[in-house]
Amino acid sequence: MDTVSDQKGSATKVQKLDERLPFHRKLTYGFTDMSGNLLYCIISGYMLYFFTNVFGMSIGTAGVLLLIGRIFDAVGAPVMGILVDHTHSKYGKSRPWFLWMSLPFAIFVWLLFTTPSLTGTAKIMYGAIIYILADLSYTAVSTPITSVLPNLTLNSDDRQVANSIRLVLGNVGNFFAVTFILPFANFLGGSNHQKGWSLAVGVYAIVAFVFLIIAFFDMREKNIENDKIITIKESFRAARGNWPWILIVLANLIYWTAYMTRSSTLAYYFQYNMHNENYISLFNGFSIIQVLGMASVPLFVKFLRKWGTTVFMLVLTCLGQAIMGFSGNNLTGLLIGWCIACIGSGSACTMFFAMVGDTVDFGEWKNGIRANGFLTAIGASFCIQVGSGFGSFIPAEVLKAFGFQSGATSQSTNAMNGISFSFLWLPIIIYIFSVLLMIVYRKWEMHEPVVIADLEKRHTV
């Protein structure tokens, strides 16, 4: 009997090694993040600007609305993680959500940037409801992007390559979203900015939908037949005492707050402080340089470990922000600082996505429960959504305090000072808190070899 068991075990190991993920599936896996970013990065980069300068909403109302919408998303993220853990269909656990939610996601984002023929409270309610629906539908798409990867292949090398392709294509989606949407909207709408934004985002929505459907049809989930069903109570138990997970969630939440503070005020800074709206697309286009930082992350991790690499990249981001702050109106200095900040922030983002997976291992080691969907949903989607809400609300309140006037062709000196502070210096202050949390995380990363060794023993018994 022992011989038979050994043979079965050896066969299983060989099967795991031989189970390779074809390149075309690595590519279509990347389509998921590219599609998500193609639409969501328009929201993250231009939502506050659109609400105040196109939709016709006051800066204070827009900031509160964006924060309230993210509170709904704070509930939606863990619920989505639990739904993924409980999904069983002929398509798999995560994969069917691309089929079910791709069309609602595309439609709601298009409606979000379509200004209705309403006034007053009715118009504000329209913006609030569609904003919440667009964000929730994005959560329903983005959560399976992270959770589906372990089920695509058992081969760790293929997973790493597929995730790298995902990050690269995700940046391609971000590049086209933040770089070309504004000039594209101006081209399609001319002087009618509301019409232009609706048409431009409509085109983007169609493209995103098509690529998500292609990804759904090409992907295949494996080795899910015997997955243990995790109860909602067990999902929460997986987070109990999971200190590395708690630290990552807090640090990532703060990261997205700082990142969105910068992103949501970029358009204002170049329109009012630099007096050149063309710089908005120029600087957003240069953000693609963060791919260089992402590609170098494995090298940095080899020498600095994960916590050290994250701290280094966050400090690099702050350095880039400071260079921009001291550059004044010097375009060259601003571009240099911007590129440095983008390399740092893009690489730090990559690290948070990687480390939240490690905390799933810790949860299994400590509590005996592997709640992959729930923990990654909180560590990724929740942080993005809630951090984005704070990152829009905080600068909106700052601009309101400095006398910013929505839709105005020019701003007062005091208002421009508020814009400059929010875009250049406020992100640095927020990033520092994330740095401190990652220094504390060092202790838990050092404990990872013990966790992995113990889990391997449990899995072989």
Side-chain angles (χ1 to χ4, degrees), residues 251-284:
N252 200 18
L253 176 63
I254 293 171
Y255 164 86
W256 281 103
T257 301
Y259 181 85
M260 281 303 304
T261 296
R262 183 183 71 181
S263 297
S264 62
T265 52
L266 180 147
Y268 295 134
Y269 182 79
F270 290 111
Q271 178 176 347
Y272 296 116
N273 293 50
M274 295 295 291
H275 310 292
N276 193 329
E277 195 175 272
N278 293 326
Y279 288 166
I280 299 173
S281 297
L282 174 66
F283 276 73
N284 276 326

Side-chain angles (χ1 to χ4, degrees), residues 55 111 114-124 126-127 192 194:
F55 194 85
L111 289 175
T114 299
T115 305
S117 299
L118 300 172
T119 58
T121 304
K123 189 176 182 180
I124 294 173
Y126 171 90
N192 189 337
Q194 293 180 349

Side-chain angles (χ1 to χ4, degrees), residues 160 164 167 291-306 309 313 347 350-351:
Q160 184 175 357
S164 297
L167 293 173
V291 174
L292 298 178
M294 292 177 174
S296 65
V297 160
L299 179 63
F300 280 94
V301 171
K302 183 178 179 180
F303 293 99
L304 300 178
R305 304 181 69 89
K306 284 173 285 191
T309 299
M313 293 303 176
S347 303
T350 302
M351 294 307 304

Side-chain angles (χ1 to χ4, degrees), residues 228-416:
K228 179 184 176 182
I229 298 177
I230 301 173
T231 66
I232 296 176
K233 183 178 180 180
E234 286 177 324
S235 295
F236 282 95
R237 280 180 54 201
R240 188 177 63 188
N242 193 337
W243 286 106
W245 177 77
I246 293 171
L247 289 170
I248 290 298
V249 168
L250 291 175
N252 200 18
L253 176 63
I254 293 171
Y255 164 86
W256 281 103
T257 301
Y259 181 85
M260 281 303 304
T261 296
R262 183 183 71 181
S263 297
S264 62
T265 52
L266 180 147
Y268 295 134
Y269 182 79
F270 290 111
Q271 178 176 347
Y272 296 116
N273 293 50
M274 295 295 291
H275 310 292
N276 193 329
E277 195 175 272
N278 293 326
Y279 288 166
I280 299 173
S281 297
L282 174 66
F283 276 73
N284 276 326
F286 266 94
S287 65
I288 192 67
I289 198 171
Q290 64 189 1
V291 174
L292 298 178
M294 292 177 174
S296 65
V297 160
L299 179 63
F300 280 94
V301 171
K302 183 178 179 180
F303 293 99
L304 300 178
R305 304 181 69 89
K306 284 173 285 191
W307 76 272
T309 299
T310 309
V311 168
F312 175 81
M313 293 303 176
L314 289 173
V315 171
L316 190 66
T317 305
C318 294
L319 175 62
Q321 290 287 132
I323 291 174
M324 285 195 292
F326 290 118
S327 295
N329 293 327
N330 186 294
L331 182 61
T332 301
L334 285 169
L335 276 173
I336 292 173
W338 176 253
C339 289
I340 293 173
C342 285
I343 290 173
S345 61
S347 303
C349 177
T350 302
M351 294 307 304
F352 284 122
F353 279 121
M355 287 185 290
V356 73
D358 298 331
T359 66
V360 174
D361 294 331
F362 188 90
E364 182 184 5
W365 175 78
K366 183 175 180 60
N367 302 308
I369 301 168
R370 190 171 185 84
N372 186 61
F374 177 78
L375 294 181
T376 57
I378 299 293
S381 297
F382 172 87
C383 294
I384 294 173
Q385 302 284 17
V386 178
S388 296
F390 284 125
S392 298
F393 174 76
I394 294 173
E397 290 300 302
V398 171
L399 296 186
K400 179 181 177 182
F402 276 80
F404 179 88
Q405 297 297 317
S406 299
T409 55
S410 61
Q411 300 289 340
S412 66
T413 301
N414 199 43
M416 287 192 291

Side-chain angles (χ1 to χ4, degrees), residues 32 80 83-105 137 139-145 147-149 151-152 209 212-222 224 227:
T32 60
M80 191 61 222
L83 287 175
V84 169
D85 284 334
H86 285 75
T87 298
H88 292 277
S89 77
K90 63 180 181 180
Y91 300 122
K93 297 173 66 68
S94 302
R95 180 187 168 211
W97 289 97
F98 299 122
L99 175 66
W100 299 334
M101 295 306 302
S102 57
L103 184 58
F105 175 49
S137 62
T139 301
V141 170
S142 62
T143 300
I145 292 176
S147 62
V148 75
L149 181 57
N151 293 337
L152 293 180
F209 169 74
L212 276 172
I213 290 299
I214 291 173
F216 163 76
F217 279 111
D218 190 58
M219 284 191 292
R220 298 290 184 275
E221 289 191 66
K222 303 176 181 179
I224 58 174
D227 272 4

Side-chain angles (χ1 to χ4, degrees), residues 45 81 239 451:
V451 172

